[in-house]
Amino acid sequence: MRSTIFALASAPGRAGVSVIRISGPAALEGAARLAGPLPDDRHHGVRTLRFPETGELIDEALVLTFADQKSFTGENTVEFQIHGSPAVVKTVLLELGKMDDLRLAEPGEFSRRALENGRMDLSQIEGLGDLVNAETEVQRKQALNVMRGQISDQVASWRHDLTTAMALLAVSIDFADEDVPDNLRLEVVRLVRKVAAEFRSEIEGQTISERIRDGFEVAIVGRPNVGKSTLLNAIAGRDAAITSDIAGTTRDVIEVRMDIAGLPVTLLDTAGLRRSDDHLEMIGVDRAIDRAGRADLRVFLLDSDDENFDVPRDDEDIVVWSKADINPRHGGVSGLTGVGLDELIENIGRVLQDRSAQAGTITHVRHRVCLQNCLRHMGSLEDGRSLATDSELIAEDLRRAIQELDTMIGKVGVEDILDVVFSSFCLGK
């Protein structure tokens, strides 16, 4: 029999309310040893939790029960909403741990059981993990869409088209000695080309989806003493970087994580770009050039008309003039007085929002690899020239492509990646 697991499902530490979750075949019996008669399925009630041996009071709790196939895990589940005292939480967990048929859950084990019991597929589980870690509004929306089955629905559509193509191929194989209508083969090619085009579009958009999930990088680039660190501190609203009128003060890349236009953004304060005899400063300059070149967006902070850097500039990169408090000019910004600061933040948000609009449905590198493998299997069929002679081989390629799609949502061949996926989950999830 599968074991019954329990864990703290809310954040550890002192809180107004803490939630302890119990799931498995002995969940109802185990919970009843502490709480007495439980509420009916999908109902709640206030119960007094007591030590089973002495009947001494532990706490008062709001108790919720869920029968199997009606719970998150697909198993009998009980939740205790108790007072969020560390002492109360510790006592309840210790008492549950004393029960022979209960054990403490491993990280991600509740979600893993939801997958194994068919309550969610693997892509939805990944969306749930992203939702738990979401810091911004756009991250929340993207993760919620995935958790609610956006990828699953898209995979079902692709699978239907490829399965239809396989069925049509089967007709041509079974009736190879007879005249097979040309439009049948044309329909096979049309379906494959349609799905392949959608795969390529999703692969292109996955990079942006990943940026929304993990965060964009915006590098502030400029000469020494141009005001980069002051500007970073002003945008961040705190003294994240040391400011000084001594050239070469910033020698390493300083990072500040923040929310801009609902998107996760890491601002990078890079070393001032100049040539120097100071070996350590030149290491910082080289790092700044490399990191700025890899950033999603660069803010070039200038103090003259002829600034030239070794950092490539894209059309969407933002150019602003520094120290507008001393030298007022159009497009100027001052980290000291805040002049032009709101406009700069709006421009950063606008550029990143425009890029975010190109995001695809898939969100993880694993998804992209699956689609790339699908395209590799389907490559021989897109031109349609080998249909007449290699139908059986092509049917096998389509079968493998469909299997890759099944891998994406966790139907087959995922045992080797499950531990990686669930290792990032917290104990009570």
Side-chain angles (χ1 to χ4, degrees), residues 285-360:
V285 170
D286 290 340
R287 288 181 178 179
I289 292 173
D290 176 67
R291 191 66 179 277
R294 291 185 285 113
D296 300 288
L297 179 67
R298 284 151 292 276
V299 176
F300 288 89
L301 191 59
L302 310 183
D303 59 2
S304 66
D305 293 332
D306 58 350
E307 295 287 358
N308 295 306
F309 305 117
D310 294 327
V311 178
R313 185 180 301 178
D314 295 336
D315 292 339
E316 290 186 320
D317 287 339
I318 298 171
V319 178
V320 292
W321 301 101
S322 68
K323 302 179 180 179
D325 53 312
I326 301 174
N327 301 309
R329 62 192 300 175
H330 178 71
V333 65
S334 170
L336 287 177
T337 65
V339 171
L341 198 63
D342 290 342
E343 290 82 357
L344 174 59
I345 295 174
E346 288 177 5
N347 284 339
I348 293 173
R350 175 184 52 78
V351 172
L352 298 182
Q353 282 181 326
D354 289 345
R355 294 190 186 180
S356 298
Q358 304 169 26

Side-chain angles (χ1 to χ4, degrees), residues 262-281:
L263 294 165
V265 176
T266 299
L267 283 178
L268 309 176
D269 176 21
T270 60
L273 303 184
R274 69 166 183 170
R275 291 298 153 193
S276 171
D277 295 330
D278 187 325
H279 176 66
L280 290 178
E281 183 181 352

Side-chain angles (χ1 to χ4, degrees), residues 49-338:
L49 305 186
R50 297 182 180 275
F51 290 97
E53 298 87 356
T54 65
E56 182 185 353
L57 177 66
I58 298 175
D59 191 24
E60 285 193 344
L62 182 67
V63 180
L64 300 87
T65 61
F66 304 89
D68 59 352
Q69 297 308 314
K70 294 182 181 179
S71 68
F72 169 72
T73 60
E75 302 173 327
N76 287 335
T77 300
V78 179
E79 290 187 357
F80 291 154
Q81 294 186 10
I82 59 179
H83 292 95
S85 157
V88 172
V89 171
K90 180 180 179 181
T91 299
V92 174
L93 292 177
L94 285 174
E95 289 304 310
L96 291 173
K98 293 177 181 178
M99 301 179 189
D100 293 337
D101 43 2
L102 272 67
R103 66 169 175 82
L104 188 65
E106 298 175 358
E109 192 168 5
F110 289 98
S111 298
R112 186 159 186 161
R113 292 192 175 194
L115 171 69
E116 293 170 347
N117 293 325
R119 299 294 290 171
M120 305 177 80
D121 65 37
L122 186 56
S123 67
Q124 290 175 299
I125 292 290
E126 289 169 320
L128 172 60
D130 292 343
L131 183 61
V132 170
N133 294 318
E135 299 174 336
T136 71
E137 179 66 6
V138 178
Q139 284 179 318
R140 180 191 69 80
K141 290 180 178 178
Q142 176 175 274
L144 190 61
N145 286 336
V146 175
M147 190 191 75
R148 297 183 67 183
Q150 186 179 56
I151 293 177
S152 312
D153 293 343
Q154 184 62 75
V155 167
S157 175
W158 290 331
R159 200 181 191 285
H160 175 269
D161 286 344
L162 293 183
T163 302
T164 300
M166 277 191 65
L168 295 176
L169 274 177
V171 172
S172 66
I173 294 171
D174 292 342
F175 298 95
D177 296 334
E178 303 179 21
D179 291 332
V180 178
D182 290 337
N183 60 354
L184 184 148
R185 293 191 176 95
L186 291 175
E187 178 63 9
V188 172
V189 174
R190 186 194 70 80
L191 287 170
V192 171
R193 286 178 176 172
K194 168 181 173 291
V195 173
E198 292 175 0
F199 284 172
R200 293 189 177 97
S201 176
E202 285 293 337
I203 290 170
E204 290 177 4
Q206 186 272 331
T207 301
I208 300 299
S209 299
E210 188 176 9
R211 282 289 182 268
I212 293 173
R213 183 168 58 84
D214 296 337
F216 292 89
E217 287 192 347
V218 177
I220 303 175
V221 181
R223 301 289 186 190
N225 291 334
V226 78
K228 299 184 301 300
S229 297
T230 301
L231 180 60
L232 175 80
N233 290 341
I235 296 175
R238 61 185 177 88
D239 291 336
I242 298 173
T243 59
S244 169
D245 57 2
I246 301 174
T249 299
T250 302
R251 298 196 173 190
D252 207 347
V253 177
I254 297 173
E255 303 182 5
V256 175
R257 182 85 167 187
M258 60 186 306
D259 181 333
I260 296 180
L263 294 165
V265 176
T266 299
L267 283 178
L268 309 176
D269 176 21
T270 60
L273 303 184
R274 69 166 183 170
R275 291 298 153 193
S276 171
D277 295 330
D278 187 325
H279 176 66
L280 290 178
E281 183 181 352
M282 285 310 301
I283 292 176
V285 170
D286 290 340
R287 288 181 178 179
I289 292 173
D290 176 67
R291 191 66 179 277
R294 291 185 285 113
D296 300 288
L297 179 67
R298 284 151 292 276
V299 176
F300 288 89
L301 191 59
L302 310 183
D303 59 2
S304 66
D305 293 332
D306 58 350
E307 295 287 358
N308 295 306
F309 305 117
D310 294 327
V311 178
R313 185 180 301 178
D314 295 336
D315 292 339
E316 290 186 320
D317 287 339
I318 298 171
V319 178
V320 292
W321 301 101
S322 68
K323 302 179 180 179
D325 53 312
I326 301 174
N327 301 309
R329 62 192 300 175
H330 178 71
V333 65
S334 170
L336 287 177
T337 65

